[in-house]
């Protein structure tokens, strides 16, 4: 045994397969061995993650791992100065250019699970302060890959043609948002301005850096990468524009140097006089599709958000080019699913006095269809939640991990189990296991459901819909305050009183209100629908 607790997987990959990976705050798992046939020097790496070193120890690598993939794990955090591959042991040592870079890398992978070719990979500090590699044949490839990637990472000898990049997203299976692109591209420099639009059913963006080196680094590192596993491929080229003229700060365009710009809700995002002639005819539109924000809603964002350097604008936190979540192969979209065992979540740190299967069914059901829930008989602060596929499991994990429920922050990791077992006939489990596979409350049963476009992180503001005409503002405010929560604000939608926004006193109160009042019978055959809103009142 290697001492690994198999119900917790840590660490993600930033390689050719995906840029977005799931968030998992599981603890680090240490290996007691790191030696391989290649080098007798590397033994007994039992150092905890609290003792920093420039050298990173990476374990549980797949058999067919490439040197480039290992180096790519480190590149978002700084330059990689050395590499030792121990393929016989499925391990590698990576040396970063500074302890700070190594610390950033280990810190990031303590909250995000590195997955290379569907294998969870474990990242920790090494005992060794530096790598001393020999010239043995099995290290030659590692050194060659290192030289190739290091020189291409930022080639300062060749000036970049432009500070503006044109980004085309091919094979757009999942929505890609302006914020998501900012997260990915900001690792290579400050993103000054960005515009997103659609042309000939292709989602595209223009993105401006303050200097050519940042643009060049981003192009070299990201061109050809997939944002999500198997889809949303980035095709990046230099733009002939030297600067972007952004008139509005909204979901279609953003100028981070001008927080004073209006939102211009119904205006086209980009009106640049040079656009019509800036590109080869037909490649890009001079009048971007005004509905881009509706076609590509900000669906997949990571929590918690952090303040941007510009007042009034917040962007989701992202410590690297690997952004918020992994969306590997959703079967409903025709992709091969990732290996079985990745659609069951282990939820821990629950309040055993208050948690019930139904409450987890409703909460996790915001991010996917929950098939079964099992609260563990002997450890009622733990539960297993089985989603309908791995995509939904990782969506739920990335949005709900760390959120407070009944006064305690949830801890969510992928479980070793492939499914939640129902109790055997005649075995009473006190109602702790529930099967919801035939529930009418699933939000995502219909292919192409608009609910896919309305997946947002938990927020204090809730979106209410399916409100009957007879129900007025006071009725709903009274309902939501009946559980002891504070209602701060309320607003019906102008055009349609079937929908409203209600702002609770905190995100935790909103979570508990959603659990309590989603599907609440309002009479007249109307059951209230409650979801998290991206808006505030």
């Amino acid at each position: 045994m290697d001492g690994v607790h198999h119900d917790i997987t840590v660490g993600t990959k930033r390689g050719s397969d995906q840029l977005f990976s799931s968030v998992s705050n599981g603890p680090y798992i240490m290996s007691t061995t790191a030696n391989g046939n290649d080098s007798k020097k590397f033994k007994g790496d039992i150092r905890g993650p609290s003792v920093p070193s420039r050298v990173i120890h990476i374990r549980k690598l797949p058999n067919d791992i490439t040197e480039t993939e290992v180096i790519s794990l480190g590149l978002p955090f700084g330059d990689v100065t050395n590499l030792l591959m121990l393929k016989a042991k499925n391990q590698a040592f990576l040396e970063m250019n500074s302890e700070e870079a190594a610390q950033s890398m280990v810190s990031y992978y303590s909250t995000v699970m590195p997955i290379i070719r569907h294998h969870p990979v474990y990242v920790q500090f090494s005992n060794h302060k530096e790598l001393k590699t020999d010239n043995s044949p099995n290290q030659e490839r590692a050194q060659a890959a290192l030289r190739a990637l290091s020189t291409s990472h930022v080639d300062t000898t060749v000036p970049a043609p432009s500070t503006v990049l044109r980004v085309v997203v091919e094979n757009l299976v999942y929505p890609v948002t302006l914020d998501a692109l900012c997260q990915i591209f900001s690792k290579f420099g400050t993103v000054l301005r960005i515009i997103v639009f659609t042309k000939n059913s292709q989602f595209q963006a223009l993105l401006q850096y303050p200097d050519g080196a940042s643009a060049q680094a981003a192009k070299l590192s990201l061109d050809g990468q997939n944002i999500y596993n198997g889809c949303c491929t980035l095709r990046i080229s230099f733009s002939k524009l030297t600067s972007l003229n952004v008139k509005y700060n909204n979901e279609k365009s953003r100028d981070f140097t001008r927080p004073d710009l209006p939102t211009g809700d119904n205006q086209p995002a980009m009106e640049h006089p040079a656009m019509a002639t800036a590109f080869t005819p037909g490649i890009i539109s001079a009048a971007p599709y005004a509905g881009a924000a509706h076609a590509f809603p900000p669906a997949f964002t990571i929590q918690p958000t952090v303040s941007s350097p510009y007042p009034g604008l917040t962007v989701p936190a992202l410590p690297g080019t690997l952004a918020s979540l992994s969306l590997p192969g959703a079967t409903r979209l025709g992709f091969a699913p990732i290996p079985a065992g990745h659609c069951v979540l282990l939820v821990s740190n629950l309040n055993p006095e208050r948690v019930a299967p139904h409450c987890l069914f409703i909460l996790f059901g915001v991010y996917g269809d929950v098939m079964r829930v099992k609260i563990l008989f002997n450890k009622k602060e733990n539960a297993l939640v089985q989603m309908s596929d791995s995509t939904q499991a990782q969506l739920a994990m990335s949005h709900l991990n760390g959120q407070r429920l009944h006064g305690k922050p949830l801890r969510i990791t992928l479980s070793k189990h492939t499914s939640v077992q129902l109790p055997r006939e005649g075995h009473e489990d006190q109602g702790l296991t529930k099967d919801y596979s035939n529930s009418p409350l699933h939000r995502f049963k219909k292919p192409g459901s608009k609910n896919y476009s309305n997946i947002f992180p938990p927020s204090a503001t809730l979106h209410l819909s399916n409100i009957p005409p007879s129900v007025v503002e006071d009725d709903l405010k009274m309902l939501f305050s009946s559980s002891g929560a504070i209602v701060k604000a309320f607003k019906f939608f102008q055009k349609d009183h079937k929908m409203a926004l209600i702002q609770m006193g905190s995100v935790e109160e909103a979570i508990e209100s959603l659990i309590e009042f989603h599907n609440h019978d309002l009479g007249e055959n109307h059951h209230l629908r409650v979801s998290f809103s991206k808006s505030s009142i």
Side-chain angles (χ1 to χ4, degrees):
M1 278 296 289
D2 55 8
V4 174
H5 186 312
H6 288 288
D7 229 339
I8 298 175
T9 48
V10 180
T12 200
K13 110 166 242 209
R14 177 226 169 280
S16 57
D17 278 351
Q18 64 191 35
L19 293 172
F20 280 164
S21 287
S22 65
V23 174
S24 166
N25 281 348
Y28 264 119
I29 301 158
M30 296 299 131
S31 167
T32 53
T33 59
N35 57 309
N37 299 332
D38 312 58
S39 174
K40 300 291 185 192
K41 294 189 288 287
F42 294 95
K43 290 183 180 178
D45 254 8
I46 54 172
R47 172 187 296 273
S50 57
V51 188
S53 161
R54 283 199 303 137
V55 180
I56 306 292
H57 178 203
I58 304 168
R59 300 184 300 109
K60 299 280 186 182
L61 292 166
N63 292 328
D64 53 353
I65 188 74
T66 67
E67 287 79 2
T68 300
E69 284 173 307
V70 175
I71 296 167
S72 292
L73 284 169
L75 275 185
F77 307 94
D79 289 333
V80 178
T81 52
N82 210 346
L83 170 67
L84 175 64
M85 297 290 287
L86 305 180
K87 288 196 174 183
K89 296 289 184 183
N90 301 95
Q91 300 181 16
F93 289 85
L94 203 65
E95 182 185 274
M96 303 300 290
N97 64 332
S98 68
E99 204 170 274
E100 291 72 28
Q103 215 152 6
S104 297
M105 180 177 171
V106 171
S107 171
Y108 180 65
Y109 290 134
S110 70
T111 60
V112 177
M113 180 175 62
I115 297 175
I116 298 184
R117 304 185 193 182
H118 309 317
H119 286 259
V121 172
Y122 301 90
V123 177
Q124 65 192 64
F125 287 117
S126 166
N127 278 335
H128 304 280
K129 287 296 183 186
E130 63 177 357
L131 278 183
K132 291 176 182 170
T133 50
D134 54 28
N135 294 320
S136 58
N138 52 1
Q139 289 306 319
E140 282 179 9
R141 277 184 56 189
Q143 297 306 309
L146 195 60
R147 285 192 297 273
L149 273 180
S150 300
T151 53
S152 67
H153 191 46
V154 183
D155 189 348
T156 53
T157 60
V158 181
S162 173
T163 60
V164 179
L165 294 177
R166 181 169 70 94
V167 181
V168 177
V169 184
E170 295 177 351
N171 191 17
L172 188 83
V173 173
Y174 297 105
V176 174
T177 65
L178 179 148
D179 277 335
L181 290 174
C182 281
Q183 291 174 32
I184 293 168
F185 282 84
S186 64
K187 184 61 196 175
F188 300 91
T190 303
V191 176
L192 299 181
R193 299 171 191 89
I194 183 171
I195 295 161
V196 298
F197 54 95
T198 306
K199 170 67 175 174
N200 296 334
S201 301
Q202 270 196 323
F203 181 60
Q204 306 192 21
L206 290 169
L207 186 138
Q208 183 180 351
Y209 284 109
D211 56 84
S214 298
Q216 195 150 10
K219 181 180 182 301
L220 285 165
S221 295
L222 298 176
D223 188 27
Q225 298 274 12
N226 295 330
I227 297 177
Y228 300 115
N229 193 21
C231 63
C232 300
T233 307
L234 295 173
R235 301 293 177 206
I236 304 171
S237 57
F238 288 107
S239 166
K240 293 179 182 176
L241 295 175
T242 54
S243 182
L244 296 180
N245 180 19
V246 173
K247 293 190 173 183
Y248 306 106
N249 283 335
N250 54 31
E251 290 168 4
K252 293 171 276 184
S253 62
R254 196 86 48 89
D255 186 335
F256 291 101
T257 68
R258 294 281 311 279
D260 55 311
L261 289 178
T263 56
D265 288 335
N266 297 315
Q267 301 297 321
M270 175 174 57
E271 295 170 5
H272 196 290
M275 288 307 296
T277 56
F279 300 97
T280 309
I283 293 180
I284 202 163
S285 167
Y289 173 50
H294 302 293
F296 304 99
F300 306 113
T301 52
I302 192 169
Q303 283 292 89
T305 56
V306 293
S307 298
S308 77
Y310 309 104
L313 292 173
T314 59
V315 293
L318 175 75
T321 58
L322 319 99
S324 55
L325 41 109
S326 161
L327 294 171
T331 48
R332 63 175 180 275
L333 294 163
F335 284 84
I338 64 171
H342 284 257
C343 63
V344 179
L345 300 172
L346 172 67
V347 185
S348 54
N349 203 37
L350 293 164
N351 184 330
E353 305 296 321
R354 299 187 61 184
V355 74
H358 179 75
C359 99
L360 295 177
F361 165 68
I362 295 295
L363 178 58
F364 281 73
V366 173
Y367 300 105
D369 294 334
V370 177
M371 297 292 104
R372 292 176 180 177
V373 177
K374 182 185 194 75
I375 294 172
L376 302 191
F377 188 80
N378 293 321
K379 292 184 176 178
K380 291 189 172 62
E381 63 277 6
N382 297 303
L384 295 173
V385 177
Q386 181 180 337
M387 309 297 288
S388 71
D389 63 39
S390 59
T391 302
Q392 296 180 356
Q394 291 180 332
L395 260 180
M397 182 164 67
S398 67
H399 282 88
L400 295 175
N401 187 48
Q403 297 288 349
R404 296 181 72 82
L405 175 64
H406 304 136
K408 302 183 77 170
L410 296 174
R411 295 282 170 256
I412 306 171
T413 56
L414 292 172
S415 169
K416 67 181 178 183
H417 296 288
T418 57
S419 64
V420 171
Q421 298 299 312
L422 294 174
R424 291 196 300 276
E425 290 241 6
H427 286 69
E428 176 55 49
D429 79 336
Q430 301 177 359
L432 296 177
T433 306
K434 296 282 185 184
D435 182 87
Y436 295 102
S437 52
N438 295 315
S439 170
L441 296 186
H442 290 158
R443 297 179 190 238
F444 305 98
K445 277 285 191 203
K446 292 178 187 170
S449 163
K450 66 183 181 193
N451 289 326
Y452 285 111
S453 305
N454 295 314
I455 295 174
F456 301 112
S459 63
T461 305
L462 296 170
H463 180 278
L464 312 181
S465 59
N466 205 32
I467 302 167
S470 61
V471 170
V472 297
E473 178 176 331
D474 282 348
D475 296 330
L476 289 164
K477 285 162 83 170
M478 196 176 299
L479 175 67
F480 276 77
S481 57
S482 65
S483 61
I486 295 167
V487 175
K488 280 189 157 182
F490 181 94
K491 185 172 80 173
F492 271 116
F493 279 55
Q494 280 184 335
K495 293 179 184 174
D496 191 350
H497 274 220
K498 292 177 184 172
M499 294 193 288
L501 295 177
I502 189 166
Q503 186 180 340
M504 309 307 294
S506 66
V507 175
E508 185 176 358
E509 284 190 354
I511 287 172
E512 293 180 16
S513 298
L514 181 143
I515 290 168
E516 187 160 354
F517 299 117
H518 180 63
N519 200 46
H520 183 84
D521 189 350
L522 292 175
E524 301 174 46
N525 205 23
H526 282 68
H527 285 77
L528 185 65
R529 294 186 63 79
V530 185
S531 54
F532 296 114
S533 172
K534 63 171 178 164
S535 309
S536 53
I537 304 173

